[in-house]
Amino acid sequence: MVEPALIKAAQAGDREALVTLLREIENQVYRTAYYLLNNEQDALDASQDALIRIYTKIGSYEEKAQFRTWVQRIVTNICIDKFRRKKPSVSIDEHEMVFQAHDDVETEVLSAYAAEEIREAIGKLPEHHRTVVVLRYLQDFSYNEIADSLNLPLNTVKSYLFRARQQLQVLLHEYQKGGVRG
């Protein structure tokens, strides 16, 4: 949670406060971008664009909405723009699995597979469903915060989430049965 005093100082032109503010939100911004775009490089680009936009538009932030809702709206809009401009592609970058020094390597492997299956399933959702899932389950937004962030009616958010959960259940059915891709 970002301190309101830090936001006010940044809006007043305190450069140090603005840099501190951006550092506090950069992980959240990247996380949202990564789950929406499903690609590390695109997420880094979108995160940078979002942080620059926040840097330049901090003066226009009004306390009508929560700061994190305002930030998420910026990130989401940038990701949606990137998603529309770019045809979906498969990343050739493979993420290395790094195992902690635990005795139960099997659990580590299964957890990594589960996380990857969920990431892939979220990535297959339509853009509007993926966005609400990311905001609700990964950013822990309330339904009202999602509605505010995306400028949607509350019932539309609920409907999108309901349909997204149904789609995820179908997409993850094979994994739920115990099957692992390979």
Side-chain angles (χ1 to χ4, degrees):
M1 188 79 168
V2 178
E3 293 293 324
L6 185 61
I7 297 167
K8 289 210 182 292
Q11 286 181 303
D14 182 341
R15 254 185 105 106
E16 197 171 308
L18 183 55
V19 169
T20 302
L21 177 68
L22 293 173
R23 284 194 178 129
E24 283 190 23
I25 64 171
E26 70 183 335
N27 287 334
Q28 178 185 358
V29 167
Y30 172 78
R31 186 174 172 197
T32 298
Y34 181 78
Y35 276 98
L36 289 175
L37 297 171
N38 206 25
N39 176 295
E40 186 176 356
Q41 191 59 48
D42 289 344
L44 289 169
D45 290 345
S47 297
Q48 182 177 13
D49 291 348
L51 292 170
I52 290 169
R53 187 162 303 158
I54 292 164
Y55 178 87
T56 59
K57 301 287 186 183
I58 190 71
S60 68
Y61 167 69
E62 298 174 4
E63 292 183 30
K64 293 177 186 173
Q66 289 184 14
F67 182 71
R68 78 179 194 148
T69 304
W70 182 75
V71 168
Q72 288 303 316
R73 182 177 295 167
I74 290 171
V75 176
T76 302
N77 288 339
I78 287 171
C79 290
I80 288 170
D81 289 346
K82 282 191 173 298
F83 187 76
R84 287 181 181 155
R85 280 192 306 246
K86 181 181 176 188
K87 292 182 179 178
S89 62
V90 177
S91 173
I92 58 172
D93 295 328
E94 290 295 323
H95 300 281
E96 293 181 25
M97 286 180 135
V98 179
F99 295 105
Q100 303 291 329
H102 295 292
D103 294 331
D104 194 1
V105 174
E106 182 179 0
T107 301
E108 293 280 333
V109 171
L110 291 176
S111 292
Y113 274 121
E116 185 60 29
E117 291 288 332
I118 292 168
R119 253 192 308 280
E120 286 181 15
I122 291 171
K124 291 177 184 176
L125 292 174
E127 174 187 318
H128 54 284
H129 289 168
R130 182 179 336 139
T131 302
V132 295
V133 165
V134 168
L135 292 177
R136 176 72 181 132
Y137 298 108
L138 300 174
Q139 296 297 342
D140 202 28
F141 272 41
S142 70
Y143 290 167
N144 287 328
E145 290 172 328
I146 296 169
D148 288 345
S149 253
L150 300 177
N151 201 23
L152 293 172
L154 182 59
N155 285 335
T156 301
V157 169
K158 290 178 180 179
S159 174
Y160 284 179
L161 279 168
F162 177 78
R163 289 190 184 115
R165 284 191 297 265
Q166 286 180 320
Q167 291 171 326
L168 285 171
Q169 189 172 15
V170 169
L171 291 168
L172 294 170
H173 180 71
E174 190 64 32
Y175 183 79
Q176 290 170 345
K177 290 190 325 188
V180 175
R181 293 178 314 128

